[in-house]
Amino acid sequence: DVQLQASGGGVVQPGGSLRLACAVSGVTFDDYAIGWFRQAPGKGREGVSCINSSDRKTYYADSVKGRFSISSDDAKNTVYLQMNNLKPEDTAVYYCAAERWLCPPPGSAGDKMDYWGKGTLVTVSS
């Protein structure tokens, strides 16, 4: 079975940091691009960041550029999303998803992603 397990969410004050992890199993890790998406209450899903399978090129939504960083640990089949300088508008359920080879266009909702994990809630509040 293909599994993507997202973890690392929590409650943090504005300006704080969190690191999300997406552990991938059941697929050849090197064959898949891994993306992070989020859905805030009452809003549609949006792409946050993604890392390609082969060249490890990274992509970010404009709203998180300079604050979020995506990375991959191939030995652990895990992709991380380091989130710094968090803002209340970053509050959402964050999901990781996999698509064969290449990331979807930056900011897209990821409708064509092949596999999805369950989300992890990030709450930014004072």
Side-chain angles (χ1 to χ4, degrees):
D1 288 350
V2 179
Q3 290 191 351
L4 286 84
Q5 182 65 50
S7 62
V11 180
V12 64
Q13 292 185 342
S17 298
L18 283 174
R19 188 177 78 157
L20 306 183
C22 177
V24 181
S25 61
V27 294
T28 302
F29 186 69
D30 291 347
D31 290 349
Y32 283 83
I34 305 297
W36 285 98
F37 300 82
R38 67 186 181 186
Q39 188 162 18
K43 295 187 177 181
R45 188 174 64 210
E46 64 170 342
V48 175
S49 183
C50 188
I51 184 166
N52 273 349
S53 62
S54 55
D55 59 11
R56 292 297 188 232
K57 187 174 181 180
T58 58
Y59 302 89
Y60 298 93
D62 288 342
S63 58
V64 306
K65 280 181 181 176
R67 301 188 297 123
F68 290 12
S69 177
I70 191 170
S71 62
S72 175
D73 185 335
D74 294 353
K76 296 182 178 180
N77 286 6
T78 299
V79 171
Y80 299 98
L81 184 69
Q82 178 66 43
M83 306 186 296
N84 298 327
N85 190 21
L86 282 160
K87 303 176 180 181
E89 52 263 43
D90 295 317
T91 295
V93 178
Y94 285 70
Y95 301 88
C96 59
E99 182 173 348
R100 202 167 177 88
W101 303 127
L102 295 176
C103 290
S108 75
D111 292 342
K112 295 183 179 180
M113 300 302 282
D114 296 320
Y115 303 104
W116 288 86
K118 294 182 180 179
T120 185
L121 177 62
V122 172
T123 302
V124 184
S125 175
S126 55

